[in-house]
Amino acid sequence: MKNPTTLAVTAATVYGLLLRILHDLLDPILGNIISISFLILAPVTIGFLTIYLLPKEHTKSLSGAIFKPFLPCFILMCVTIALNIEGTICWLMIFPLFAFTASLGGILAYQIKKVSNSDSNHKTKKNRNTLHGSFILFLPLVVGFIEGDSTLSRKDFYISKSVTIQAPTNEVWKELTNINEIKPEEQKFNLSTFLGFPKHISTTIEKMEVGGRRIALYEKGLYFNETISKFENEKHLVLNIDIDPTTIPVTVMDEHIVLGGKYVDILQDVYSLESLPDGTSKLTLSSRFYINTPFNWYAGIWSEYLMGDILKSQINLIRSRTQKTNDKGDSR
């Protein structure tokens, strides 16, 4: 006889996969997966099903009800990534929330079974269990049908990263406005690229004037069309960013994290350069962007961290180039 835990985990995983496929097939009806119905209620149901299907001798401990639902979540993540249904970056960001809510479903099933096991009337207990199970299983679909895009809420963010550069402002400005091609040896390890954000290949400014264009090119066909809206030589450079989501391949990151799309967009970058009393320079890069999800409190944590990581990599590149050039000049 097969292990009851294996059977329960398999059933919960298959249920989760079917929910995911249904969201794609019935997208106009159920809405996208960036929703409460899929990212909150679906894992609750997966966790519930995992514990609910186990025999009572396998559900005696609360710790088991908390941690066993992690298994179908992990398997579902691996399967959907392997089948190219979901992107790695999307799963890595959402998995902590997904697993946590699955454990809540496991606790719910544990409590229901605990009360049910104390019921002496076998027929009443069986009917109640069937009712509980049916209600929970269909809950994500029913809520998804009602929810649609109604729970999406836009939140704007403005973050800044600064670095001190051992060089005067004129030398920093020269590197800032002439990034051009970025060599492989200049690419440093950072979290954003580790999670799947494309590597920066080049940045070119066509004309240094208000209305001039700057084009930032990344791997996998990602590029940003940026328009200079304001600049003051060796002090400020303001870039309005225009992203056409239809030109960005889905393979860039994930179909649900399409820059310029429904859920996330980058609006503006601002470079500020300040001369310090000791002859060094302070370079600050600020970015304004927004996210549009039902749980901005969670998505915002990841967005700020990843965007901050991207900003740091950009100003660190300028620092590295400027100080390298400055060191060469000093050695002559």
Side-chain angles (χ1 to χ4, degrees), residues 11-25 30 38 76 141:
T13 303
V14 170
Y15 169 80
L17 185 60
L18 288 174
L19 270 184
R20 177 62 187 87
I21 293 170
L22 278 174
H23 263 272
D24 270 351
L25 295 176
L30 295 178
F38 187 80
L76 181 63
L141 296 174

Side-chain angles (χ1 to χ4, degrees), residues 310-323:
I310 293 169
L311 297 186
K312 282 193 294 185
S313 68
Q314 292 185 26
I315 58 177
N316 283 337
L317 171 67
I318 296 168
R319 177 178 65 175
S320 176
R321 285 185 171 183
T322 305
Q323 293 185 169

Side-chain angles (χ1 to χ4, degrees), residues 14 123 134 168 178 183-184 221 308:
V14 170
K123 186 175 180 180
S134 300
N178 292 275
K183 298 176 182 178

Side-chain angles (χ1 to χ4, degrees), residues 81-189:
I81 289 175
L83 296 176
N84 288 321
I85 296 175
E86 292 295 346
T88 304
I89 187 171
C90 189
W91 258 119
L92 289 177
M93 288 192 291
I94 207 65
F95 187 79
L97 178 65
F98 206 85
F100 172 75
T101 49
S103 69
L104 295 181
I107 293 170
L108 177 62
Y110 171 80
Q111 293 297 337
I112 288 175
K113 292 186 77 171
K114 191 176 180 180
V115 172
S116 181
N117 288 336
S118 64
D119 194 336
S120 57
N121 190 322
H122 179 73
K123 186 175 180 180
T124 302
K125 178 171 68 175
K126 185 176 180 181
N127 290 338
R128 188 186 297 121
N129 285 350
T130 301
L131 180 64
H132 286 151
S134 300
F135 175 76
I136 294 292
L137 285 175
F138 285 100
L139 188 60
L141 296 174
V142 173
V143 172
F145 176 75
I146 298 170
E147 181 184 10
D149 289 339
S150 63
T151 57
L152 296 179
S153 174
R154 171 169 166 163
K155 183 176 181 180
D156 287 71
F157 292 84
Y158 186 83
I159 64 171
S160 296
K161 295 296 176 181
S162 299
V163 66
T164 299
I165 302 176
Q166 304 297 317
T169 55
N170 65 308
E171 293 184 10
V172 179
W173 185 260
K174 183 179 178 181
E175 295 296 341
L176 167 60
T177 55
N178 292 275
I179 295 175
N180 301 321
E181 183 183 356
I182 300 170
K183 298 176 182 178
E185 58 268 25
E186 294 180 298
Q187 302 279 2
K188 307 298 182 182
F189 174 83

Side-chain angles (χ1 to χ4, degrees), residues 111-331:
Q111 293 297 337
I112 288 175
K113 292 186 77 171
K114 191 176 180 180
V115 172
S116 181
N117 288 336
S118 64
D119 194 336
S120 57
N121 190 322
H122 179 73
K123 186 175 180 180
T124 302
K125 178 171 68 175
K126 185 176 180 181
N127 290 338
R128 188 186 297 121
N129 285 350
T130 301
L131 180 64
H132 286 151
S134 300
F135 175 76
I136 294 292
L137 285 175
F138 285 100
L139 188 60
L141 296 174
V142 173
V143 172
F145 176 75
I146 298 170
E147 181 184 10
D149 289 339
S150 63
T151 57
L152 296 179
S153 174
R154 171 169 166 163
K155 183 176 181 180
D156 287 71
F157 292 84
Y158 186 83
I159 64 171
S160 296
K161 295 296 176 181
S162 299
V163 66
T164 299
I165 302 176
Q166 304 297 317
T169 55
N170 65 308
E171 293 184 10
V172 179
W173 185 260
K174 183 179 178 181
E175 295 296 341
L176 167 60
T177 55
N178 292 275
I179 295 175
N180 301 321
E181 183 183 356
I182 300 170
K183 298 176 182 178
E185 58 268 25
E186 294 180 298
Q187 302 279 2
K188 307 298 182 182
F189 174 83
N190 54 68
L191 179 65
S192 54
T193 53
F194 175 74
L195 290 177
F197 191 86
K199 290 182 179 179
H200 193 178
I201 296 174
S202 68
T203 293
T204 55
I205 295 178
E206 292 184 350
K207 191 174 286 188
M208 194 62 188
E209 61 181 24
V210 173
R213 282 207 315 162
R214 189 178 91 151
I215 300 174
L217 182 63
Y218 290 75
E219 288 181 328
K220 301 179 183 179
L222 174 65
Y223 66 92
F224 298 145
N225 273 323
E226 305 168 347
T227 303
I228 299 173
S229 62
K230 180 182 178 182
F231 87 94
E232 186 177 352
N233 197 44
E234 299 181 11
K235 287 187 178 180
H236 298 289
L237 176 61
V238 181
L239 299 155
N240 292 336
I241 302 173
D242 179 28
I243 303 174
D244 182 357
T246 62
T247 64
I248 300 176
V250 174
T251 54
V252 166
M253 288 187 290
D254 185 277
E255 64 176 302
H256 311 109
I257 315 179
V258 176
L259 295 172
K262 185 191 295 185
Y263 305 108
V264 60
D265 196 8
I266 304 171
L267 306 174
Q268 188 180 74
D269 280 349
V270 178
Y271 290 89
S272 299
L273 190 55
E274 178 186 353
S275 179
L276 301 178
D278 60 358
T280 60
S281 303
K282 180 182 178 182
L283 175 63
T284 301
L285 175 55
S286 305
S287 185
R288 185 163 62 89
F289 64 97
Y290 74 79
I291 58 173
N292 187 35
T293 76
F295 33 85
N296 292 335
W297 57 270
Y298 181 80
I301 297 171
W302 280 100
S303 299
E304 286 190 294
Y305 193 85
L306 288 173
M307 183 59 73
D309 189 66
I310 293 169
L311 297 186
K312 282 193 294 185
S313 68
Q314 292 185 26
I315 58 177
N316 283 337
L317 171 67
I318 296 168
R319 177 178 65 175
S320 176
R321 285 185 171 183
T322 305
Q323 293 185 169
K324 187 176 180 181
T325 302
N326 198 44
D327 289 342
K328 285 181 180 179
D330 291 342
S331 64

